[in-house]
Amino acid sequence: MADLSQLVKAYDVRGVYPEQLDDRLAELFGAAFVQVTGAGAIVVGHDMRPSSPGLAASFARGAVSRGADATIIGLCSTDQLYYASGKLDLPGAMFTASHNPARYNGIKMCRAGAAPVGQDTGLAEIRTLVEGWLETGAPPSVTGVTGVTAPGTTARRDTLTDYAAHLLSLVDLSAIRPLKVVVDAGNGMGGHTVPTVFEGLPLDVVPMYFELDGTFPNHEANPLDPKNIVDLQARVLAEGADLGLAFDGDADRCFVVDERGEGVSPSAITALVAARELAKHPGGTVIHNLITSWSVPEVVREQGGVPVRTRVGHSFIKQRMAETGAIFGGEHSAHYYFRDFWNADTGMLAALHVLAALGGQDGPLSELVSSYDRYAGSGEINSTVTDQTARTEAVREAFAGREGVTFDELDGLTVTGTEWWFNLRPSNTEPLLRLNVEARDETTMTKIRDEALALIRA
């Protein structure tokens, strides 16, 4: 029997195909999804991985067996699935393993209006149902389901053009100066969405790896790993481009490279987009997770907005956005969330904001973002440890009692001094501690980083 404890994560379902996740299991998840959400209709999409079309069809079959109508939108980015869920007001399921290697696949699920489904919002119940069916061998069927008299129907619908039109209605690019932009789709879904979204804009697009290929022949589709943007950085310089954009496998995240070939911090992008959104919605609330730069809440306050700090993870961001009516949210991982996009994350919309900001003035991108990138950061550093709790306590003891140092435990351990801060978080799935350090200058950041790492790895 499948081990769902390894397959069902905090926010989604993800595992190796077909050893951990196969078509039969996808069908059971489809049936359970409908039973938990009570949906009369759902929308299903998938990425370019070879196993994705079959898994998506099986999920839809399970949903239909429970009496729900299934709208299949086929190949799409994750944010395109969120668009369909929001616009059609239907629960949705996206088959993708995002930036994971080719042998993986998974399911990201949402309720109507792109509201997230995680452990506390339905995923635990879905898992319980599937485990029960696996034990009994009972196939999901209409027979015996309360209030269901017949199977649902299946229909196909293309949403790409409507998705592009919705994004372009939110950012005015009509008056920008012509820009040359290199786009690395990493053989992922950016190769599907970018041509339609960028069509007709004053952009000279240099495409890289736009061929949809779920085996990722050129590099992993994870632009947060520096080795995966080396090709993009070199191409930006070779082309004399104004900027570069890199999308992850399911194209819901976007990473930005400036005209010098230097990566732009996702915190700087968060601050830039926040300033633009606050210009449209004065006094609005902006959500940021606790490991984005100090510059993010500073810029939000300077622009008259209200910054709200949250835990790491999209379910926490989306929950706080709904609670506060926030206009925008950003994470260090290059996830960007918009109220005008059903509080869901869309790297494409963030990319359009960057293009609009850059094309609306004459300076280079490095100059434009310099006012949003104020501090020295370490990036996320992972350390393998045998006892996460013991190493965290060793760090706490070493910094306790120092003048001006404070602690908080919103998510892991955050230690803050007058000139620096760092956060230490345990991984939920691996024996790792994740360290992020920021300081007012590079020398201080390096000193604090090295001291913390020595304690973690002792």
Side-chain angles (χ1 to χ4, degrees), residues 243-405:
L243 75 162
L245 302 173
F247 291 91
D248 68 344
D250 59 338
D252 62 348
R253 288 189 296 154
C254 182
F255 193 84
V256 181
V257 169
D258 70 19
E259 80 288 351
R260 306 167 304 170
E262 300 288 331
V264 180
S265 157
S267 286
I269 299 299
T270 296
L272 181 152
V273 177
R276 288 177 53 83
E277 286 289 303
L278 285 164
K280 287 195 298 182
H281 308 286
T285 297
V286 173
I287 307 293
H288 65 98
N289 74 24
L290 80 174
I291 50 180
T292 52
S293 169
W294 266 338
S295 63
V296 174
E298 286 177 3
V299 168
V300 171
R301 290 189 189 97
E302 288 163 9
Q303 298 298 320
V306 180
V308 173
R309 181 171 175 264
T310 75
R311 296 178 62 182
V312 173
H314 77 95
S315 66
F316 301 114
I317 293 262
K318 290 174 180 175
Q319 181 182 340
R320 290 296 280 150
M321 287 189 74
E323 290 169 356
T324 61
I327 57 174
F328 174 64
E331 292 200 89
H332 72 296
S333 54
H335 281 285
Y336 306 105
Y337 308 79
F338 295 83
R339 185 175 69 187
D340 292 339
F341 200 77
W342 300 279
N343 291 339
D345 43 322
T346 165
M348 186 66 78
L349 186 50
L352 293 178
H353 272 287
V354 173
L355 292 167
L358 178 60
Q361 49 88 69
D362 295 329
L365 183 59
S366 59
E367 186 179 294
L368 175 66
V369 300
S370 62
S371 63
Y372 303 116
D373 198 4
R374 304 172 177 180
Y375 303 104
S378 66
E380 191 153 275
I381 304 168
N382 291 326
S383 301
T384 301
V385 297
T386 54
D387 190 332
Q388 294 168 321
T389 302
R391 297 329 306 154
T392 301
E393 284 308 306
V395 171
R396 184 200 300 272
E397 288 173 14
F399 283 87
R402 296 191 189 185
E403 187 177 352
V405 169

Side-chain angles (χ1 to χ4, degrees), residues 386-455:
T386 54
D387 190 332
Q388 294 168 321
T389 302
R391 297 329 306 154
T392 301
E393 284 308 306
V395 171
R396 184 200 300 272
E397 288 173 14
F399 283 87
R402 296 191 189 185
E403 187 177 352
V405 169
T406 60
F407 299 93
D408 83 61
E409 297 180 49
L410 174 64
D411 192 351
L413 175 67
T414 300
V415 184
T416 303
T418 54
E419 303 295 315
W420 52 266
W421 64 267
F422 67 83
N423 173 267
L424 190 60
R425 291 180 302 119
S427 166
N428 292 321
T429 55
E430 303 170 272
L432 298 176
L433 282 173
R434 308 190 192 282
L435 176 70
N436 285 268
V437 186
E438 184 176 69
R440 299 194 188 278
D441 60 75
E442 192 75 28
T443 301
T444 305
M445 187 280 291
T446 302
K447 176 177 176 290
I448 296 296
R449 179 198 67 195
D450 293 349
E451 184 178 358
L453 282 176
L455 292 161

Side-chain angles (χ1 to χ4, degrees), residues 82-108:
Y82 292 149
Y83 164 80
S85 171
K87 191 67 177 178
L88 302 175
D89 200 29
L90 296 176
M94 174 68 186
F95 278 82
T96 181
S98 186
H99 62 275
N100 284 115
R103 67 185 187 278
Y104 285 82
N105 215 319
I107 323 169
K108 293 181 178 180

